[in-house]
Structure formats: C-alpha cells, structure tokens
Amino acid sequence: MTSARSTREKLLDAFSELLVAAGSRAATLDAVAAAAGVSKGGLLYHFGSKDALVDGLVERWRRMADDDVREMRAAPEGAAAYYLRTSVVERDDPLARTGVAVLHLAQEGDARAVAAFTDATEDWRAAIEEQVGDRVLSRVVQLVGDGLWAGSSIGVAPDDLDDVVSGVTRLLGEPPRPA
Amino acid sequence: MTSARSTREKLLDAFSELLVAAGSRAATLDAVAAAAGVSKGGLLYHFGSKDALVDGLVERWRRMADDDVREMRAAPEGAAAYYLRTSVVERDDPLARTGVAVLHLAQEGDARAVAAFTDATEDWRAAIEEQVGDRVLSRVVQLVGDGLWAGSSIGVAPDDLDDVVSGVTRLLGEPPRPA
DNA sequence: GTCTATAACTTGATAGAC
DNA sequence: GTCTATCAAGTTATAGAC
C-alpha cells in the first residue's frame, strides 16, 4: 500500500478520465502518465503494458459495481429511483465515470469489458426487479437509466431528470390492469 | 455521380463499419481505404484529411436522421414503437449503424457529432410527443430506446425486445390518473 | 481517379541509470 | 519506484507517376 497503491489508483483515475473526456485514441500511455503526474516509465512499472492498464480498470469497475448493487438494495428511495438518479454521470462520481470509461473499451470490442457489463447489468436489473416485482418492468426502468447514461457519455446532461424519475415512478405506482 | 460518388459512399460505409466494430482507434485511414478496396491515396483524393472524412460521415448521418423522422411519423405502428424497434442495431441497418459510428465520434468530444445528436434527438422526441401527447412520457419512451441502442453499441442484442415494446406500449395505453 | 513512395510525427515498449 | 533515453511499428499527410 501507501504510495505504491496510491500511484496505481492515480493512474487508473487518469486513464478513465482521459477515456471519458476524449476517447481511447487520446488515452495514450504518454497522456495517462502525464495526467497522473508520472513519467511513462513510472506508469509501466505499475502496469507492464497497455493491456494490463485495461485489465486494472475493468477489475476496479467490477468491484465498484458490486458495491453499488449493495447500496442500491439499501437505498431509501428504492432501487429503481436510485438507478435512474445515478445513471446521470456527475463530474465527481467515480462509479459512473469509470463505467463510461469501460463502456468505451467495450465499444472497441474488448471482451473483458463487455463481460463486466453483461454481469453488472444483470445484477442491477435483478435488484430493480426485487422492488417492482416484474421482469419486463425492471428491464424498462433499467433501459431508461441506460438511456440517460448514454446521453451522459456524450456530455449531454438532462434538464428534466426529476420529471423523468417521477414520471417513471408514477408509471410503476399505477400498473395497468389486465384487460 | 457514377463511380466518383460510389467510391465516396463506399469509403463512408467502411469508415462507419470500422468505427462500430472496433472503435476509432482501429478506424485508421489505412484500414478504411483497405476495407473500401482503394489505396490510401485514393481515399485522400475524395476526403482530403481524416477530419474531412468525419465531416462527411456526420453530414450523411444528419440526412439519414432527417429521413427517419419522416418515416417515423408515417409508421403504422406509431412513432413510439417505431423508435423502440429501430433502436436495436441490426447488421444491415445503415441508419442505426451510422448512428453508432457518430456516437463514437461524439464520445470522443467531436463537436459536430454532438450537435448532430442533440438536433436529431429533439426531432425524434417531438415526433414521439405528437403520438403520446405528453412531454415527459415522450422522454421516457425515447430513453428506453436510447438504452436499447446503447446496448447495441457494445454488441448486446436484447432477447426480449417484443416484451419491452409491448410493455412500454401498455404503460402508455393506460396512463395513471391524477391522484 | 487511383496508385506508390516517402516524409514527419506519435505510440507502445525496452534498457538501464538513479 | 521513478526517470531518461531509445527503438520499431504505425499514423496522417504530401508529391508525383500513371
């Protein structure tokens, strides 16, 4: 631990920030090292290759996502509202930021990133289903969140998040009766 | 027109396919030219720089999106269901594929791509609102579509699209009464 | 309109000093 | 643990032949 661990974390932070802000073409070893305040040699001591850096980020995101599922289940507002609210990426939200970074890797075809997404998506959905009691409804809620989150990934912040959350909550609260 | 126009289109097709399949790091001039079956020199005759290639793709997507808004308004199943169904990217769907390609550019911070998205998103939403009659509901429907589409961008095809579409349609059909 | 050759620069990675 | 060379490969772009 101590400073070794700290530098590793700083490097992963810099990597994810660069991925989110400017895409993977901009997230070079040079740029990551500079943003973390170390030299390229320093970076390569902690992560022996760019692939190892990707591994480190995906693994960190898996841990964060697991923690988030637990927080979601305990959220007073309910798992659905919690998911929707945390789908809008705030500047200083490490989970959502890291998630967008991993999304970039998944979109490039990185199999580890795609697998991490598939796993986390199912865990989140199951937590929502526990609240709303229906599989398809849990999917719809999650997809609304994913839509918000996709917008965040290009820097478009919704100006009507509260309306959307209460709109969805209202739809859930008064389920349609069978015909 | 004739072969000049055809080569331009082939180059834009190759560019968007590479962006979608492997990300912008893989969409090099070399790779685009090879995929289109011309040399790099041939590419650079039609598009004088990589920036011009991006311009060409974004402009083409704007035209495709405009056409799609018209089709959406005329769709027998309704604008909402049309939007949801076409949000799942099929292999041979040029609009959705080009959209994911432009998404990649927007995520990298390309201002033209972000602006094209902002404009198209508002046009699509307005068309949905014309059907469902409520602004927030139109947003919710659109966000579900965007969520589906974000999944497609990492190659995750939903196995329950019909359930989701009919689930959303049912929610719309029986709007909650004011308390 | 399309090609090859080449120039100028960037990127990922290694070696070895401190 | 961190740094400064250094290198081979890849990237964008230009020049000029056909």
Side-chain angles (χ1 to χ4, degrees):
Chain A
M1 335 239 120
T2 70
S3 123
R5 161 116 201 151
S6 172
T7 298
R8 262 185 78 96
E9 293 301 311
K10 259 191 290 191
L11 285 164
L12 292 178
D13 287 343
F15 185 37
S16 66
E17 273 157 29
L18 279 163
L19 278 171
V20 170
S24 82
R25 221 150 116 257
T28 64
L29 296 187
D30 257 320
V32 170
V38 297
S39 68
K40 204 183 337 187
L43 186 165
L44 286 164
Y45 169 78
H46 292 284
F47 298 97
S49 68
K50 188 156 196 191
D51 199 62
L53 192 60
V54 169
D55 252 330
L57 190 65
V58 171
E59 281 315 304
R60 185 167 78 159
W61 185 69
R62 274 190 182 275
R63 286 192 299 275
M64 294 168 92
D66 282 350
D67 291 347
D68 190 64
V69 172
R70 275 185 283 277
E71 274 209 47
M72 194 175 166
R73 288 213 164 87
E77 58 188 330
Y82 177 92
Y83 190 78
L84 295 179
R85 289 202 185 281
T86 57
S87 290
V88 176
V89 180
E90 302 286 348
R91 259 196 169 283
D92 49 358
D93 176 351
L95 173 68
R97 181 164 42 68
T98 307
V100 173
V102 175
L103 171 68
H104 280 62
L105 300 173
Q107 285 173 334
E108 282 177 354
D110 185 281
R112 295 157 295 181
V114 172
F117 256 100
T118 306
D119 294 347
T121 296
E122 173 53 20
D123 291 346
W124 275 315
R125 192 205 57 72
I128 297 171
E129 184 176 350
E130 282 175 27
Q131 178 195 343
V132 304
D134 179 85
R135 187 171 216 291
V136 173
L137 276 184
S138 73
R139 281 276 289 148
V140 172
V141 170
Q142 183 170 48
L143 287 167
V144 173
D146 295 352
L148 288 168
W149 185 67
S152 290
S153 80
I154 61 170
V156 174
D159 57 353
D160 58 356
L161 177 60
D162 287 339
D163 291 341
V164 169
V165 173
S166 64
V168 170
T169 307
R170 213 164 356 106
L171 289 174
L172 295 177
E174 297 209 16
R177 286 156 265 145
Chain B
M1 336 235 124
T2 71
S3 123
R5 161 113 201 154
S6 173
T7 298
R8 262 185 77 97
E9 294 301 311
K10 259 191 288 190
L11 286 165
L12 292 178
D13 287 343
F15 185 36
S16 65
E17 273 157 30
L18 279 163
L19 279 172
V20 170
S24 83
R25 219 149 116 259
T28 65
L29 296 186
D30 256 320
V32 171
V38 297
S39 69
K40 207 189 320 194
L43 187 164
L44 286 163
Y45 169 80
H46 292 285
F47 298 97
S49 67
K50 187 155 196 190
D51 200 62
L53 193 60
V54 169
D55 252 329
L57 190 65
V58 172
E59 280 317 304
R60 186 169 76 158
W61 185 69
R62 275 190 181 275
R63 286 193 299 276
M64 294 167 93
D66 283 349
D67 290 347
D68 189 64
V69 172
R70 275 184 284 278
E71 274 208 47
M72 192 173 167
R73 287 214 165 86
E77 57 188 330
Y82 177 92
Y83 189 78
L84 295 181
R85 290 202 185 280
T86 56
S87 289
V88 175
V89 181
E90 302 287 347
R91 257 195 171 285
D92 49 356
D93 176 352
L95 172 68
R97 183 165 40 68
T98 307
V100 172
V102 175
L103 171 68
H104 280 61
L105 300 173
Q107 286 174 333
E108 282 177 355
D110 185 280
R112 295 158 295 181
V114 173
F117 257 99
T118 307
D119 293 347
T121 296
E122 173 52 21
D123 290 346
W124 275 314
R125 192 205 57 74
I128 297 171
E129 184 176 351
E130 281 175 27
Q131 177 196 343
V132 303
D134 179 86
R135 188 172 216 290
V136 173
L137 276 185
S138 73
R139 281 277 286 148
V140 171
V141 171
Q142 184 169 47
L143 287 167
V144 172
D146 294 352
L148 287 168
W149 186 68
S152 290
S153 79
I154 60 170
V156 175
D159 57 352
D160 59 354
L161 177 60
D162 287 339
D163 291 341
V164 169
V165 173
S166 65
V168 170
T169 306
R170 215 165 352 107
L171 288 174
L172 295 176
E174 297 209 15
R177 287 157 263 145

